[in-house]
Amino acid sequence: MAQQLEYTVGGLLDHIAARYPDNDALVYPERGLRYSYREFNELCRQVAKGLLKLGIKKGDNIAIWAYNVPEWVVLMFAGAKIGAVLVTVNTAYKTAELEYILNQSDSTTLFMVKSWKDTDYVATLNEVVPELATSEPGKLDNAKVPFLKTVVFIGDETPAGMLNFARVAEMGKEVTDAELAAVEATVDKHDTIQMQYTSGTTGFPKGVMLTSHNLVNNGFFIGECMKFTDKDRLCIPVPFFHCFGSVLAVLASVSHGTAMVPVEIFDPLKVLQTIEKERCTAVHGVPTMFIAELEHPEFSKFDLSTLRTGIMAGSVCPIEVMKRAVKDMHLTEITSVYGQTESSPGITQTRTEDSIELRVSTVGRALPGAEVKIVDIENGATLPPGKQGELCARGYMVMKGYYKMPEETAKVIDSDGWLHTGDLAVMDENGYCKITGRIKQMIIRGGENIYPKEIEEFLYTHPKVSDVQIYGVPDRKYGEQVMAAIILKKGVEMTEDEVKEFCKGKIANYKIPKYVKFVDGYPMTASGKIQKFKLRDMAIKELHLEE
């Protein structure tokens, strides 16, 4: 069994800051900001004291609604030091979703930026709690969101009714080291320390309760699989509010004394500039991010020769994209990770020494300390290698449960502690897994089970196709038909007939898309997951398939 780390999230940073005090910890080239691990830990301690001064106690839920600003990472460790639970709010949320999360999570404090893309966060929050503008900072009283008392603004001007983040750090000077140490001593590695809301690709988002033990070890083993050391430098364009950012990036880095170099809001040009300028050795991203970087008109101008590894994950990795990342971005040791928020999030990962074939055709094998099995969907029996069933996982990384949702928790974690992922997979005799689809995403056409991934992988091989999503739409005769939404490469044209012709004779007729739509983008969750149910809903309307 792999040796697990025994630190809390706050304790991990203390340990690494003592071990690599002068290493770069957090670098924002555009802001001219560069903290060593010693400086970063000191700042986190200062803010932790400020949180205590604000009246935040161990076990209190504190929410953050922001893109990848430096304060996000500071708060992640500062809150952890005093045992406060960080509730991560999706950057794409609007009023109804914000109100739902603030209420469901019982958050007492909200940390927020001014805006993100086209959403004015201040206006959005004021719509949810109109009393905010006239209330004294820290004394909010609102019947709709009764738990929320304090709003802390990250940025220069401070809107009415809010405190400023800089002021909270300043308040920390009124708290002694001894007071902080006394609180830190009460924080246990098995306490919930983060609550991440599942992206809600189905139904209402659920608050996934994750402990220090879950997160520290998942981050550590994921870093180990990339062979991270204190010499590595990771470019982070994936959002912090999602496990990809906070665990696969931040904790994988911090557990190894690796430098974190975030990109605040994803922009392919900024990613390329950051990698070159900071001599990054690793970069993370969902496939759509890698596609945007590889297809950027100025791609060839950048020196990316320092790159070695990273993670392509978040949705299924197209083989062609992975091959180009290896060849054109020097990512010879890039890995892919499979998991979900409920497993902190990593369950399986490819290894740096795996062949390109394994890295493009599988999501790797179980992470150290994790158990994986494939079970029969009908009867739950464990299946032998090569048989398709539901992937189940067990180990240190399985969540405590869904916040205030015991029935929902019992649906996914069985009495033996196995997490049922809802994903279909096949495992080979060496333990390498292929994800073949979601149990709910499978298309059933005239009794034939169709797995969208198989058709997607095939269509990726067409030279004009940049990205493709396959999903089922209702059909009176067959039950369901296959539909493709295709993003073309820049400057090319293609017809529906061309797509069908390309498939003929190469894949079974029943798998050839009956409907083809050319699109400029896909509806996504802010963490980069494509929402196929929305594509399906749009198609039903456009094709008049309501009946």
Side-chain angles (χ1 to χ4, degrees):
M1 203 63 169
Q3 185 61 45
Q4 292 173 16
L5 302 184
E6 302 299 330
Y7 302 106
T8 60
V9 168
L12 174 72
L13 181 58
D14 288 335
H15 166 71
I16 293 294
R19 196 168 165 191
Y20 306 108
D22 301 321
N23 267 23
D24 279 348
L26 189 62
V27 180
Y28 280 80
E30 284 199 328
R31 291 182 178 229
L33 192 74
R34 193 175 297 272
Y35 294 123
S36 67
Y37 268 99
R38 184 195 291 109
E39 292 165 335
F40 180 62
N41 193 31
E42 271 317 303
L43 176 60
C44 293
R45 287 172 55 79
Q46 173 81 9
V47 172
K49 292 179 192 178
L51 298 178
L52 290 174
K53 189 71 186 168
L54 262 188
I56 292 170
K57 298 181 294 297
K58 179 188 164 185
D60 281 356
N61 294 343
I62 60 174
I64 181 160
W65 194 25
Y67 49 90
N68 289 7
V69 290
E71 291 85 352
W72 209 112
V73 203
V74 171
L75 198 61
M76 176 172 160
F77 289 95
K81 283 179 184 291
I82 65 164
V85 180
L86 189 68
V87 177
T88 64
V89 183
N90 191 314
T91 48
Y93 277 177
K94 302 283 199 267
T95 48
E97 297 149 322
L98 179 67
E99 185 179 330
Y100 171 81
I101 295 280
L102 290 173
N103 261 326
Q104 209 280 330
S105 68
D106 303 326
S107 291
T108 62
T109 312
L110 173 66
F111 294 80
M112 62 183 284
V113 290
K114 187 180 182 182
S115 59
W116 178 78
K117 294 191 176 173
D118 63 345
T119 308
D120 181 330
Y121 282 4
V122 177
T124 304
L125 181 63
N126 277 306
E127 221 175 297
V128 175
V129 277
E131 296 88 337
L132 178 66
T134 53
S135 71
E136 190 188 324
K139 302 252 173 81
L140 180 62
D141 188 11
N142 173 278
K144 255 199 321 189
V145 187
F147 275 86
L148 187 67
K149 296 297 170 216
T150 310
V151 181
V152 180
F153 186 74
I154 299 168
D156 293 335
E157 77 274 30
T158 310
M162 302 188 194
L163 283 166
N164 194 284
F165 191 89
R167 172 80 191 102
V168 174
E170 199 59 30
M171 285 159 65
K173 291 179 178 163
E174 299 167 45
V175 175
T176 66
D177 285 346
E179 286 172 89
L180 175 61
V183 177
E184 277 196 272
T186 68
V187 181
D188 186 82
K189 66 182 184 208
H190 294 300
D191 294 337
T192 299
I193 210 72
Q194 258 194 42
M195 213 144 79
Q196 301 234 357
Y197 276 78
T198 55
S199 301
T201 36
T202 53
F204 278 114
K206 299 183 275 284
V208 175
M209 297 186 287
L210 299 171
T211 67
S212 280
H213 194 64
N214 292 148
L215 298 170
V216 165
N217 283 291
N218 208 249
F220 173 68
F221 288 125
I222 278 160
E224 289 288 281
C225 290
M226 290 184 282
K227 294 200 166 81
F228 265 9
T229 71
D230 58 307
K231 305 288 183 284
D232 279 299
R233 305 177 69 77
L234 172 65
C235 176
I236 309 174
V238 291
F240 291 147
F241 77 80
H242 189 255
C243 274
F244 201 166
S246 57
V247 185
L248 278 66
V250 172
L251 286 169
S253 298
V254 172
S255 57
H256 291 82
T258 294
M260 299 174 276
V261 191
V263 173
E264 292 187 37
I265 296 174
F266 176 71
D267 172 330
L269 185 61
K270 285 198 175 136
V271 175
L272 297 168
Q273 287 166 339
T274 302
I275 292 167
E276 179 178 78
K277 184 162 191 242
E278 286 298 321
R279 317 294 291 149
C280 293
T281 59
V283 61
H284 288 358
V286 294
T288 46
M289 288 178 174
F290 281 99
I291 291 169
E293 289 148 22
L294 286 157
E295 294 188 356
H296 194 278
E298 293 180 41
F299 177 79
S300 59
K301 293 182 185 169
F302 292 94
D303 175 9
L304 308 178
S305 60
T306 53
L307 284 177
R308 168 183 76 79
T309 189
I311 295 170
M312 190 186 294
S315 59
V316 177
C317 301
I319 291 169
E320 295 307 311
V321 182
M322 183 74 94
K323 283 182 176 165
R324 286 179 64 195
V326 170
K327 185 164 124 320
D328 301 337
M329 293 178 81
H330 307 277
L331 289 165
T332 51
E333 299 182 3
I334 192 167
T335 66
S336 61
V337 172
Y338 160 76
Q340 51 189 210
T341 311
E342 289 85 345
S343 58
S344 313
I347 294 173
T348 67
Q349 186 170 5
T350 58
R351 309 304 200 255
T352 54
E353 63 276 9
D354 283 340
S355 69
I356 184 80
E357 279 65 42
L358 271 177
R359 277 187 277 155
V360 296
S361 64
T362 77
V363 289
R365 53 193 164 92
L367 281 161
E371 294 176 78
V372 174
K373 67 176 180 178
I374 309 294
V375 303
D376 188 299
I377 300 167
E378 301 300 321
N379 59 26
T382 303
L383 293 170
K387 290 279 184 224
Q388 176 178 270
E390 183 181 17
L391 189 145
C392 296
R394 185 167 69 174
Y396 66 83
M397 69 293 166
V398 175
M399 65 169 178
K400 261 194 166 176
Y402 296 121
Y403 187 60
K404 300 191 303 191
M405 294 184 179
E407 298 84 5
E408 293 296 320
T409 304
K411 283 181 196 168
V412 295
I413 301 175
D414 67 27
S415 54
D416 293 324
W418 287 97
L419 172 71
H420 291 251
T421 64
D423 285 323
L424 295 168
V426 175
M427 192 194 292
D428 71 13
E429 46 291 334
N430 300 316
Y432 281 79
C433 297
K434 280 184 188 187
I435 303 300
T436 48
R438 293 254 337 137
I439 289 174
K440 296 183 187 72
Q441 254 179 20
M442 187 168 71
I443 302 167
I444 304 177
R445 181 191 179 278
E448 294 280 1
N449 288 358
I450 300 171
Y451 301 100
K453 182 179 185 299
E454 189 184 337
I455 309 170
E456 287 164 1
E457 288 293 6
F458 171 71
L459 286 173
Y460 274 123
T461 63
H462 193 288
K464 289 184 181 178
V465 172
S466 172
D467 210 349
V468 56
Q469 293 298 316
I470 298 290
Y471 46 101
V473 292
D475 182 80
R476 186 169 278 137
K477 183 176 175 187
Y478 292 102
E480 276 186 301
Q481 286 285 8
V482 178
M483 177 148 186
I486 295 175
I487 297 176
L488 294 174
K489 289 187 177 160
K490 291 210 170 59
V492 298
E493 286 179 3
M494 196 178 191
T495 64
E496 193 169 333
D497 287 342
E498 230 176 307
V499 175
K500 293 178 181 177
E501 206 50 54
F502 180 69
C503 297
K504 274 187 189 148
K506 300 202 189 86
I507 58 172
N509 283 345
Y510 68 83
K511 293 179 187 171
I512 296 175
K514 178 174 167 68
Y515 305 104
V516 178
K517 186 181 179 187
F518 298 101
V519 297
D520 295 323
Y522 301 120
M524 296 222 191
T525 65
S527 54
K529 282 188 181 153
I530 292 159
Q531 294 170 304
K532 285 195 180 180
F533 73 97
K534 284 195 177 169
L535 286 169
R536 177 186 166 97
D537 290 349
M538 280 152 42
I540 289 169
K541 283 199 185 79
E542 286 164 19
L543 300 166
H544 306 296
L545 302 172
E546 286 88 349
E547 292 170 45

